[in-house]
Amino acid sequence: MKVTINDVARHAGVSIKTVSRVMNNEPSVRKDTCDKVMAAINELQYQPNAAARNLASSRSFSIGYIYDNPNAYYVIDMQRGLLDACRKHGYELLIHPTNAKSPDIVQEVIDLVQQSRLAGLVLTPPFSEMPHIAAALESIGVHFVRIISGSTPSPKLSNCVLVDDFTAAFKITTHLLELGHTDIAFLCGDEEHSSSGERLAGYQAALAKRNIAPNPKFIVPGSYSFESGVQGAKQLMALAKKPSAIFACNDEIAAGALFSARLMNIAIPQQLAIAGFENSPFSRQTWPPLTTAHQPNVTIAQQAAELLFRHTKPNASKTLSDKQPVFIPELVVRESTAVSES
Amino acid sequence: MKVTINDVARHAGVSIKTVSRVMNNEPSVRKDTCDKVMAAINELQYQPNAAARNLASSRSFSIGYIYDNPNAYYVIDMQRGLLDACRKHGYELLIHPTNAKSPDIVQEVIDLVQQSRLAGLVLTPPFSEMPHIAAALESIGVHFVRIISGSTPSPKLSNCVLVDDFTAAFKITTHLLELGHTDIAFLCGDEEHSSSGERLAGYQAALAKRNIAPNPKFIVPGSYSFESGVQGAKQLMALAKKPSAIFACNDEIAAGALFSARLMNIAIPQQLAIAGFENSPFSRQTWPPLTTAHQPNVTIAQQAAELLFRHTKPNASKTLSDKQPVFIPELVVRESTAVSES
DNA sequence: CTAATTAATGACCAGCGCTGTCATTTCCAT
DNA sequence: ATGGAAATGACAGCGCTGGTCATTAATTAG
C-alpha cells in the first residue's frame, strides 16, 4: 500500500540516505548505484511523501500562480502550461486569484508565499509589471518568473519570459495597411498592462514606416474588456472622419467593437475591418471571425515554469541554455479583415 | 520570522498540547482557554506548518478538483468558488485538468488522490456522472462531492450538489412558447453529460404541457461546443419545416447557432429565436445577446466544497443543516428571443 | 460547605518519512 | 602499499499529532 524510502533502500540494498540522494539527484552517487535505486523505485512504484520532504528540507515542492485576469481563456491556458511543467518536475501548482488593485496586494503575495512555503512564483500581467511586487519577492528571497511584454532579452530581465507584443502588433497593423487601409484606429487595453503600450507602439511604428501621420483621435484609451470595445467603437464611429479599420488590443475588445458595429449597422469587413489580439477561442466564434495574433499561452506558461525550476532546483543541470525565451505572436488572418472592397 | 506552536503555547500560557487541541478543534477545551489561544495565534500571526501537520496526522489539508471541460468560464468559476471555501477553512486546492475519456482515468484519479494524499475531491460533469469513478473513490475511502444534474434530494445522493436543469430548461422552453413559438428545436450537448438529457427532458415536458407534439427532427444530437451549434443550426435550417426557435443546451452551442444563422442570413430574433443555457460571460457578448438560464457556478462550487469539508473535518459542527443544496438556474431574457414579430 | 465526581489541561514520549551533517568506508591513482 | 578523493552510511531532528497518564480545576451532590 504505502511504500516508504525504507522499502526502496532495502530492496536496492543501499542505505536510506543513498536513495534520498538519488531522489534529489545529488552528485556523488555512482552510476550503477543510481541505477539499482532507480530500478527499485520503479519496481515498488515508490512515491516520495511530499509532506515529509517539505518538513525535513524546509523547502516545498509547489509553485504559485497569482492571477487577476478577467480573461478566463488566458488563465486556463496558463494553468495548463504551468501544470504540464509541474507534473514533469514533480511539483504542485497553487493557484491564487486575487485583486491586483487591492492596496495590500504586496502583503497578500508575501503571505501566500510564506504560508504555503512556495518554492517559486509565476507572475503574469499585471503582477509581473508591478515593481514593488518584484522587489518584495526579492527581499524575501523567493524565486519568481515574470511573463512580460518585451522583445530584447537583457540580463536585467533574466527571470522573464518575453512576449514580443510590439512586433506582433506591427505585423497586424501592416496587414491592415496592406489591405489598403490608412485610417486605422487603435483600441487600447488597460494602461497598467504594458502589453497595451507595446501593442500601441507597434501599431504606431507600422504607420510611421508608411509615413502615415498618426491621428490622435484614432487612439482610444480603454481596458481589456468587451464593454470597452463596445464603447470604443461607438466613439470612433461618431467621429467626423471615421476609421476604416480598427485594431483592438485584444480579442475581447475586438468582439465588443464587432458587437458595437453591428448595433450601428456597419458591415464587417466591408465598411470596417476589425482585428484583435491573442487568438483566444472566441476570436473564432464571433461573426465574422476575427483576424488576430496568436499568442501560444500554454507554451509560454510551460517555458516560464521551466525557467523557474531551473532557478529553484539546486542540482539541476545548468547546461540547459539559460537564454530567455522570446515569443512573437503570429498573425492569423480571418474574415473580419477580408480584402477591403473600397 | 518563523512562529512555531511552541511560541504560541508560551505566549498563551498553556501547553503545546492545548494549542494543538484548539487547532484541531478537539472537544474538551474550555471556552476561555480557547480564546486565549486564539488571541495568541492572532497576535503572533501563527501559521501552522502544513507539512508537519500532514506528516504527523497523515491527513492532508488539500482537496482536489478534477476537470475536463472545454468551457473555460465554467472552470474558472468553479475554481473561484472552491478556493473561497478552501481559504475559509484553511485548505488548499489542487487542480487537475485531464482527459475524461482516457481509458485509465480511474487509475489516474486514484493515483492523484494517493500521491497528493487528498482529503477530498470535488467532481463536476462528466466525472461526477461516472459510476466507476465514484465506486473507486469509495473503495479507497476518500470523501468526495459531486455536482450533478437533478431536482430531488435523496439519501443516495447525500454527497451531491444538485442543479435542477430540468426545471430551468422547462422555464426557458416555456418562455419561448409564451413568445408564440411552437416549432422549437433543441440542440443537445454531449450525451454523456446528464445535464443534456435533463435539459432535453425539461424542454419536452414544457412542450407536452401545451400539448405540442414533439417533432423528432427538431432534436439534434451534438456536443457542448461552438462547432456543434454551427452544424446543428445548419441542419435545422435545411429542413423543409424549419423551427422558429432554437433552444441550445448551453451558451456556446447557442453562439454557434447564432453564427450559423448569420452565415445563412437569418435574422435573429425576427426569423429565428435562439436561447442558450448557463449565462456565461459570452452570452452577453454575442449579437444579439442571448437569452439563457443563469447558473450560479461560483456559489455552487462553494456549497460543494462546504459539503465536502463537513464530511472531511472530523470535529466539525454537525449542527449545520445537512440537507442537499439544489440550485435552479434562473431565466435571463435578452434580445436573442425578443418578442416574435410574426 | 465539603466530598465525590467530572471535565480540562499538562507532561511526556514516540514517530510520521524524509534530509542535513558528519563520520566512515570504498575506490582509484600513484 | 598509501594518501586522498569519492561514495556511502549512521544518526539526529524538521514541527507537529496521537496516545497515555497524571494533575489540576470546575461542577455537582449530599
Side-chain angles (χ1 to χ4, degrees):
Chain A
M1 187 76 195
K2 191 164 50 180
V3 184
T4 75
I5 197 170
N6 246 298
D7 305 319
V8 179
R10 212 171 320 116
H11 200 86
V14 298
S15 75
I16 291 180
K17 182 68 221 192
T18 298
V19 179
S20 169
R21 287 200 175 92
V22 173
M23 290 301 301
N24 298 288
N25 53 84
E26 290 179 24
S28 67
V29 177
R30 220 181 305 139
K31 181 75 171 55
D32 56 323
T33 321
C34 184
D35 290 344
K36 258 194 314 193
V37 173
M38 284 304 215
I41 288 174
N42 286 327
E43 213 163 313
L44 299 177
Q45 298 246 53
Y46 168 64
Q47 308 278 54
N49 179 320
R53 250 146 75 98
N54 292 354
L55 182 58
S57 64
S58 64
R59 70 203 197 87
S60 92
F61 293 86
S62 45
I63 64 170
Y65 169 45
I66 299 177
Y67 61 92
D68 171 16
N69 200 317
N71 184 339
Y73 292 116
Y74 180 79
V75 172
I76 287 286
D77 280 353
M78 278 292 142
Q79 291 183 353
R80 192 104 216 185
L82 295 176
L83 277 168
D84 285 347
C86 281
R87 283 182 197 172
K88 190 172 141 200
H89 293 263
Y91 274 64
E92 281 178 354
L93 179 69
L94 241 60
I95 59 176
H96 188 91
T98 187
N99 179 3
K101 290 185 177 152
S102 150
D104 31 44
I105 180 67
V106 174
Q107 192 54 47
E108 186 182 333
V109 172
I110 304 263
D111 283 351
L112 171 74
V113 170
Q114 299 193 327
Q115 157 84 55
S116 300
R117 271 121 180 134
L118 296 183
L121 221 47
V122 173
L123 304 178
T124 50
F127 301 104
S128 55
E129 290 160 355
M130 295 163 70
H132 45 305
I133 291 209
L137 290 175
E138 254 154 29
S139 81
I140 58 170
V142 189
H143 294 285
F144 62 99
V145 165
R146 287 173 290 170
I147 296 173
I148 60 171
S149 218
S151 56
T152 334
S154 83
K156 270 191 63 178
L157 269 36
S158 69
N159 63 340
C160 294
V161 172
L162 301 175
V163 179
D164 191 349
D165 287 301
F166 177 91
T167 303
F170 188 96
K171 284 196 221 168
I172 290 199
T173 312
T174 301
H175 165 69
L176 292 170
L177 289 165
E178 281 168 356
L179 289 176
H181 295 282
T182 51
D183 300 321
I184 305 173
F186 185 87
L187 294 179
C188 301
D190 300 73
E191 263 185 277
E192 55 270 42
H193 287 236
S194 70
S195 58
S196 176
E198 288 291 315
R199 290 171 199 173
L200 176 60
Y203 152 85
Q204 288 172 321
L207 292 187
K209 197 179 174 192
R210 298 255 178 155
N211 297 311
I212 295 177
N215 178 344
K217 292 205 171 142
F218 280 177
I219 298 175
V220 185
S223 66
Y224 284 123
S225 71
F226 184 83
E227 187 52 29
S228 178
V230 174
Q231 293 307 323
K234 197 167 146 194
Q235 186 177 325
L236 284 168
M237 300 319 279
L239 291 174
K241 179 166 175 52
K242 301 176 175 46
S244 71
I246 294 179
F247 173 17
C249 216
N250 77 352
D251 291 339
E252 209 166 334
I253 300 175
L258 219 49
F259 179 95
S260 203
R262 204 154 287 293
L263 282 180
M264 297 182 281
N265 282 309
I266 295 168
I268 311 293
Q270 294 79 8
Q271 293 174 262
L272 180 69
I274 297 184
F277 200 107
E278 193 181 317
N279 195 25
S280 72
F282 73 95
S283 65
R284 253 161 288 136
Q285 304 181 175
T286 54
W287 198 86
L290 285 169
T291 289
T292 189
H294 175 67
Q295 212 174 285
N297 290 325
V298 176
T299 314
I300 291 174
Q302 282 174 348
Q303 296 266 345
E306 291 289 348
L307 194 57
L308 182 57
F309 292 139
R310 222 170 296 158
H311 292 287
T312 303
K313 289 194 166 179
N315 300 296
S317 56
K318 297 286 184 193
T319 53
L320 280 163
S321 66
D322 246 30
K323 77 177 209 289
Q324 291 157 260
V326 179
F327 290 90
I328 306 179
E330 284 302 323
L331 180 66
V332 178
V333 178
R334 298 211 186 86
E335 286 79 356
S336 73
T337 61
V339 176
S340 167
E341 314 278 291
S342 61
Chain B
M1 189 74 195
K2 192 163 51 181
V3 184
T4 75
I5 197 169
N6 248 299
D7 304 319
V8 179
R10 212 170 321 117
H11 199 86
V14 298
S15 73
I16 291 182
K17 183 74 221 192
T18 299
V19 179
S20 173
R21 285 194 178 101
V22 172
M23 291 300 302
N24 298 289
N25 53 84
E26 290 178 23
S28 67
V29 178
R30 221 181 306 138
K31 180 76 172 55
D32 56 324
T33 321
C34 184
D35 291 345
K36 256 195 317 193
V37 173
M38 285 305 213
I41 288 174
N42 286 326
E43 212 162 314
L44 298 177
Q45 299 248 53
Y46 168 64
Q47 310 277 50
N49 180 321
R53 246 144 79 95
N54 291 356
L55 183 57
S57 65
S58 63
R59 69 204 197 86
S60 93
F61 295 86
S62 45
I63 63 171
Y65 168 45
I66 299 178
Y67 60 93
D68 171 15
N69 200 317
N71 184 339
Y73 292 116
Y74 180 79
V75 173
I76 287 285
D77 280 353
M78 278 292 143
Q79 291 183 353
R80 191 106 218 181
L82 296 176
L83 277 168
D84 285 348
C86 281
R87 284 183 196 173
K88 189 172 142 200
H89 292 264
Y91 275 64
E92 281 177 353
L93 179 69
L94 241 60
I95 59 175
H96 189 91
T98 186
N99 179 3
K101 290 183 177 153
S102 149
D104 31 45
I105 182 66
V106 175
Q107 192 54 47
E108 186 182 334
V109 173
I110 303 262
D111 283 351
L112 171 74
V113 169
Q114 299 193 327
Q115 158 84 58
S116 300
R117 271 114 179 140
L118 295 183
L121 221 47
V122 174
L123 303 179
T124 50
F127 301 103
S128 57
E129 290 159 356
M130 295 164 69
H132 46 304
I133 291 210
L137 290 176
E138 254 154 28
S139 80
I140 59 169
V142 188
H143 294 287
F144 62 99
V145 165
R146 286 174 290 171
I147 296 172
I148 60 171
S149 219
S151 56
T152 336
S154 83
K156 269 191 66 179
L157 269 36
S158 69
N159 63 342
C160 294
V161 172
L162 300 175
V163 179
D164 191 350
D165 287 301
F166 178 91
T167 304
F170 189 96
K171 283 196 224 169
I172 290 199
T173 312
T174 301
H175 165 70
L176 292 170
L177 288 165
E178 281 168 356
L179 289 176
H181 295 284
T182 51
D183 299 322
I184 305 174
F186 186 86
L187 294 179
C188 300
D190 299 73
E191 264 184 278
E192 55 269 41
H193 287 235
S194 71
S195 58
S196 177
E198 289 291 315
R199 290 171 199 174
L200 175 59
Y203 152 86
Q204 288 172 320
L207 292 187
K209 196 179 174 194
R210 299 254 179 155
N211 297 311
I212 296 178
N215 178 343
K217 291 205 172 144
F218 280 176
I219 298 176
V220 185
S223 66
Y224 283 124
S225 71
F226 184 85
E227 187 52 29
S228 177
V230 174
Q231 293 307 324
K234 196 168 147 194
Q235 186 177 326
L236 284 168
M237 301 318 279
L239 292 174
K241 179 166 175 50
K242 302 176 174 47
S244 72
I246 294 179
F247 173 16
C249 215
N250 78 351
D251 291 339
E252 209 165 335
I253 300 176
L258 219 48
F259 179 96
S260 203
R262 204 153 288 290
L263 283 180
M264 297 182 281
N265 280 310
I266 295 169
I268 313 291
Q270 294 79 10
Q271 292 174 263
L272 180 69
I274 297 183
F277 200 107
E278 195 180 314
N279 195 24
S280 72
F282 72 95
S283 65
R284 255 162 286 136
Q285 304 180 173
T286 53
W287 198 85
L290 285 169
T291 288
T292 189
H294 175 68
Q295 212 173 288
N297 290 326
V298 176
T299 313
I300 291 173
Q302 282 174 347
Q303 296 265 345
E306 291 288 347
L307 194 57
L308 182 57
F309 291 138
R310 222 170 295 158
H311 292 286
T312 304
K313 290 195 168 180
N315 300 296
S317 57
K318 297 284 184 194
T319 54
L320 280 165
S321 67
D322 246 29
K323 76 180 212 288
Q324 289 158 262
V326 179
F327 291 89
I328 305 179
E330 284 301 325
L331 179 67
V332 178
V333 178
R334 297 211 188 85
E335 285 79 357
S336 72
T337 62
V339 176
S340 166
E341 314 279 290
S342 61

